[in-house]
Amino acid sequence: MESVERQRGDDAPRDRRQQGPGLNAKLNWLRAGVLGANDGIVSTAGLVVGVAAATTDRGPILTAGLAGLAAGAVSMALGEYVSVSTQRDTERALLAQERRELRELPEEELDELTDLYEDKGLSPATARTVAEELTEHDAFAAHADAELGIDPDDLTNPWQAAGSSAVSFTVGALLPLIAILTTPPHLRIPVTFVAVLAALALTGSISARLGGAKPVRAVKRVVLGGALAMTVTYAIGQAFGTVV
């Protein structure tokens, strides 16, 4: 009876650990999505504001906005795909090395796992017991978790990262594009400024809360950055629009 209760007690933490990485992964993707949307807002807003400062014709503004949206979404997707693919390759290489070491040096790996749990605060005897029991249950999973911090069954997905970045960038980019195309010429730039800064304040607040940081500081950074980007491109549009 005692062993059954102990087994149930051991299963509960393991279930929570299995849920933890999944939750963390979801938060990371959500955070990446918010940041992608933020990039889409800032880059597209800067582009269309610069063009709108040079001309009141909707055609060039629409063309520039769509071109910037497409280029930015593709660039974000490719960047995420390459980055996450590299991370996935690294994870696979580390896991393959761990499998080889467990096969060739089982005693040394058991000692290493014991040391890892001692470093986490367990007594030498308890750490040894935990290491032996986890090794008996699933040595590879135990080392992947304690030594590498990797879940072999939940490796990063480059296609998911690429798709998430492209979609979030596109959604963010549509806001300044719609704002500047659906307002009268004399209100385009101020309305776009207000809409963009409000959207940046929202994305900054969300990203800060997801990361456990103070929203006020994060909001100030993204809002000031967005305002600076639009101001610079507006000035460039004004200067070169009158020259061309």
Side-chain angles (χ1 to χ4, degrees):
M1 182 67 176
E2 183 181 5
S3 62
V4 173
E5 290 175 350
R6 184 169 59 250
Q7 182 177 2
R8 288 176 180 172
D10 290 343
D11 286 344
R14 183 159 56 249
D15 290 342
R16 287 194 292 270
R17 285 197 299 271
Q18 290 173 347
Q19 292 173 2
L23 178 60
N24 290 336
K26 289 178 181 179
L27 289 176
N28 285 335
W29 286 122
L30 182 56
R31 190 178 299 114
V34 171
L35 294 175
N38 185 80
D39 288 342
I41 293 169
V42 174
S43 60
T44 305
L47 185 60
V48 295
V49 165
V51 176
T55 179
T56 58
D57 190 352
R58 276 193 174 88
I61 299 174
L62 176 61
T63 301
L66 291 177
L69 185 156
V74 171
S75 176
M76 288 285 292
L78 287 175
E80 282 294 319
Y81 180 82
V82 171
S83 174
V84 175
S85 292
T86 301
Q87 179 183 345
R88 187 183 180 92
D89 291 342
T90 301
E91 291 173 342
R92 284 176 169 172
L94 290 172
L95 291 172
Q97 179 181 350
E98 196 60 42
R99 285 186 186 278
R100 184 170 60 254
E101 291 175 350
L102 285 169
R103 184 173 58 252
E104 298 174 355
L105 305 166
E107 290 302 322
E108 288 81 350
E109 287 298 295
L110 179 59
D111 291 339
E112 183 179 23
L113 190 60
T114 301
D115 291 339
L116 288 171
Y117 284 111
E118 283 189 44
D119 292 340
K120 292 183 178 181
L122 297 181
S123 67
T126 303
R128 188 68 176 187
T129 301
V130 170
E132 289 175 345
E133 291 185 1
L134 289 176
T135 297
E136 182 179 353
H137 175 69
D138 189 338
F140 176 64
H143 280 268
D145 176 43
E147 185 177 346
L148 303 177
I150 298 175
D151 182 354
D153 298 322
D154 189 26
L155 297 182
T156 51
N157 188 325
W159 290 106
Q160 184 182 20
S164 175
S165 294
V167 170
S168 62
F169 184 95
T170 300
V171 171
L174 285 174
L175 185 142
L177 189 57
I178 292 173
I180 207 162
L181 291 174
T182 57
T183 51
H186 66 285
L187 293 177
R188 282 177 183 166
I189 292 176
V191 167
T192 303
F193 258 82
V194 172
V196 165
L197 296 184
L200 289 176
L202 178 61
T203 59
S205 176
I206 293 174
S207 63
R209 292 182 186 281
L210 289 174
K214 294 182 178 180
V216 174
R217 185 176 300 176
V219 168
K220 285 181 179 179
R221 281 198 299 263
V222 295
V223 168
L224 289 176
L228 178 61
M230 289 187 289
T231 301
V232 170
T233 55
Y234 175 80
I236 292 174
Q238 282 276 293
F240 286 92
T242 57
V243 172
V244 174

